[in-house]
Amino acid sequence: MFDPTLLRTFLAVVQTRNFTQAARRLGLRQSTVSQQIRRLEATTGRQLFSRDTHTVALTADGEALVPLADSILAAHARADSYFAGAQVRGRVRFGASEDFVLSRLPEILRNFRASHPLVDLELTVGLSAILYDAFDRRELDLVFAKRRRGQHRGQPVWRERLAWIGGESSRPEPATPVPLIVYPPPSITRDRAIEALERHDRPWRIVCTSGSLSGLRAAAMAGLGVTAHAHSLIPPGLSEIRGRHRLPDLGEVEFVLLGAEDAAPDSPVAALSAAILAAGDRLHRPL
């Protein structure tokens, strides 16, 4: 009933929230993606997306299908890895954004190493902009990170909104400067937070700078201030700040794989890229 090809297309649309970007990621035409989604909706007998010319959103039935599609594709990936994974050998120098330190990425990398024992995996964790520079210097083979607005490099994995987050006592009053907890420059979320505040003439001050997500989390939990972070990757112990605090909208951010599109089909880079994409919605689901 559930064709894995259709499920992969479904998850690509879920994660990118855009039929054109999903098609680009899958190497298909947009019309093919639309046709495959219609086939899946016909198979399930349910409408999975509500869409117009500007937005793509999941219906309740679409939401219910996401974890099921994840499980089915994970089973297929395990079978593929068991019978073919060990044939892939070599080295892959992988750079991952700090955003993923407290996500399910470690679990995905552990499974990848188990199913590809002949691949030497080297991991670098850092700020997205620094990882991009390392990739350009050919110090990394694959990068999984955010990209700035207006950039077109990389293969989109998913897109979502940024949120203001903090600890229980991190609730800035509208009449006071916003206390910011930020990464050092160059940082995409730092720039977005400051740009949003200045665009709305909201005073701000930096109360903590840390190069690690753990450092930002500790400062936020101590009540020092607030920080900008991808909504689905909010660290444990922190929550989104809403309501009367009137913090400006931060917009959306895209996470991409840089280096995947040019990788040879039988290379370690292609294998790791496939493992990350196959993880589907698990990657940015709460731990």
Side-chain angles (χ1 to χ4, degrees), residues 98 126-127 182-184 209-216:
E98 273 284 338
L127 300 181
V182 292
Y183 290 117
T209 301
S210 174
S212 72
L213 179 57
S214 297
L216 298 187

Side-chain angles (χ1 to χ4, degrees), residues 63-248:
E63 293 277 6
L65 181 59
V66 170
L68 299 174
D70 246 354
S71 298
I72 293 169
L73 292 179
H76 276 264
R78 286 194 298 271
D80 288 343
S81 296
Y82 180 85
F83 290 105
Q87 298 173 10
V88 179
R89 65 180 66 219
R91 179 179 68 157
V92 55
R93 298 168 300 174
F94 177 52
S97 167
E98 273 284 338
D99 301 84
F100 302 116
V101 168
L102 300 176
S103 75
R104 294 185 182 273
L105 183 61
E107 171 190 321
I108 293 165
L109 295 181
R110 184 174 64 248
N111 292 339
F112 175 80
R113 292 184 68 246
S115 58
H116 297 80
L118 301 181
V119 173
D120 183 13
L121 176 62
E122 298 178 9
L123 175 64
T124 299
V125 178
L127 300 181
S128 296
I130 292 175
L131 295 176
Y132 273 62
D133 289 342
F135 179 85
D136 289 338
R137 294 193 302 269
R138 300 190 177 184
E139 295 171 1
L140 295 172
D141 305 306
L142 182 69
V143 166
F144 189 20
K146 299 188 292 290
R147 70 177 174 189
R148 294 185 183 276
R149 279 185 291 205
Q151 286 186 337
H152 302 287
R153 301 178 68 189
Q155 181 179 19
V157 179
W158 89 83
R159 179 178 61 182
E160 67 169 297
R161 67 183 179 88
L162 288 173
W164 292 104
I165 65 172
E168 290 185 6
S169 58
S170 302
R171 298 294 184 267
E173 293 300 323
T176 62
V178 178
L180 290 180
I181 300 169
V182 292
Y183 290 117
S187 163
I188 292 174
T189 49
R190 174 194 177 109
D191 291 348
R192 292 281 287 274
I194 292 173
E195 288 168 5
L197 291 169
E198 293 189 342
R199 192 168 57 249
H200 288 79
D201 296 321
R202 185 77 186 268
W204 56 272
R205 62 190 178 95
I206 293 177
V207 297
C208 174
T209 301
S210 174
S212 72
L213 179 57
S214 297
L216 298 187
R217 178 174 179 263
M221 291 191 70
L224 296 185
V226 299
T227 190
H229 201 68
H231 180 261
S232 70
L233 297 174
I234 295 176
L238 304 182
S239 59
E240 184 174 5
I241 297 171
R242 297 176 178 268
R244 67 183 183 84
H245 306 287
R246 296 192 296 233
L247 293 172

